[in-house]
């Protein structure tokens, strides 16, 4: 099973992508570890900037009993 990756949401124009990382709940028991994972593997959120309107959204965290999914969307404004 893959633990991380990048998926292009708009393969034709290549304007949006999702970066994700899956961590076991045992390795990520609390918000402090979540913050460390975000700092280590993801980019800082930013509003659209530059001529193409490049942006990075904040990291979303989804938790189940066994897994923690970190997900961040980035891209160019259309």
């Amino acid at each position: 099973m893959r633990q991380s990756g990048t998926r292009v949401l708009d393969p034709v124009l290549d304007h949006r992508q999702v970066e994700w990382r899956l961590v076991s709940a045992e390795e990520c028991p609390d918000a402090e570890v979540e913050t460390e994972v975000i700092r280590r593997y993801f980019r800082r959120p930013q509003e659209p900037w530059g001529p193409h309107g490049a942006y990075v959204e904040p990291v979303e965290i989804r938790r189940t009993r066994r897994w923690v999914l970190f997900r961040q969307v980035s891209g160019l404004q259309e």
Side-chain angles (χ1 to χ4, degrees):
M1 180 166 90
R2 289 184 55 188
Q3 300 292 323
S4 65
T6 302
R7 180 175 180 180
V8 177
L9 296 178
D10 185 4
V12 175
L13 298 175
D14 198 25
H15 282 192
R16 288 184 69 197
Q17 70 179 19
V18 174
E19 296 177 49
W20 58 274
R21 178 163 293 273
L22 193 61
V23 179
S24 74
E26 292 177 0
E27 295 176 27
C28 187
D30 56 21
E32 186 176 319
V33 179
E34 288 176 358
T35 303
E36 181 62 33
V37 170
I38 291 170
R39 273 193 221 137
R40 184 175 292 169
Y41 296 107
F42 294 94
R43 294 180 286 168
R44 289 185 184 198
Q46 66 185 25
E47 295 294 320
W49 66 278
H52 300 291
Y55 66 92
V56 180
E57 294 180 2
V59 176
E60 295 178 28
I61 301 171
R62 296 183 183 176
R63 183 179 282 275
T64 66
R65 277 186 258 142
R66 295 180 58 197
W67 299 102
V68 181
L69 174 66
F70 297 86
R71 180 180 180 270
Q72 185 176 50
V73 177
S74 61
L76 304 173
Q77 280 190 331
E78 299 177 34

